[in-house]
Amino acid sequence: GISPTVVHFNIALTKLGKSRRVDLAQHAWEAMETRGIAPNAASYAAFGAVQTCTEELDGLLSQQVSLGVPPAVAFFEAFVKLSRHDEAAVRDFLLRCLDAGLPRNSRVVASAGVVLGPPESKRLVLG
């Protein structure tokens, strides 16, 4: 038979996220861990998109950092979406993501700008 790879799990996590099936996404994540399949940035972004609170994303960021996996822009966007416009939380998470290797690009500026405003967002992301 075919052994699933991280790509298979990323596809499943993305589909489950779009259908808001948190329970099945959690099961897929656990199955990936059980099989010893290391998540990549796309895995964290897809799994991050199904989370329901910023604390879960914070834990996932810590896990990514410990594994040396830089966060994807979609992962940061998931946090902003759940942040309920908490400027301090978004600023802190943004800085931690940037330190961990989040790309410094216009998409990140735009996402952070929703909460922090464009000038502050540009200053933090682009320097």
Side-chain angles (χ1 to χ4, degrees), residues 6-108:
V6 70
V7 173
H8 295 103
F9 281 101
N10 288 351
I11 292 167
L13 288 167
T14 300
K15 295 289 185 185
L16 293 167
K18 287 182 180 179
S19 63
R20 304 301 304 156
R21 296 299 309 264
V22 178
D23 56 333
L24 292 177
Q26 182 66 42
H27 181 70
W29 187 262
E30 290 167 2
M32 194 166 69
E33 289 177 338
T34 300
R35 292 172 183 255
I37 297 172
N40 59 20
S43 309
Y44 284 104
F47 192 53
V50 301
Q51 301 308 305
T52 57
C53 70
T54 57
E55 291 80 10
E56 292 166 342
L57 288 167
D58 194 54
L60 285 174
L61 176 62
S62 295
Q63 185 180 12
Q64 285 183 81
V65 169
S66 72
L67 296 173
V69 177
V73 176
F75 183 80
F76 175 70
E77 290 171 337
F79 185 91
V80 170
K81 194 176 195 181
L82 290 173
S83 73
R84 304 212 185 325
H85 294 281
D86 180 340
E87 288 185 28
V90 170
R91 184 177 295 105
D92 176 64
F93 198 76
L94 172 62
L95 294 174
R96 288 178 51 221
C97 284
L98 290 170
D99 285 346
L102 180 71
R104 293 176 179 269
N105 61 31
S106 59
R107 188 170 154 197
V108 174

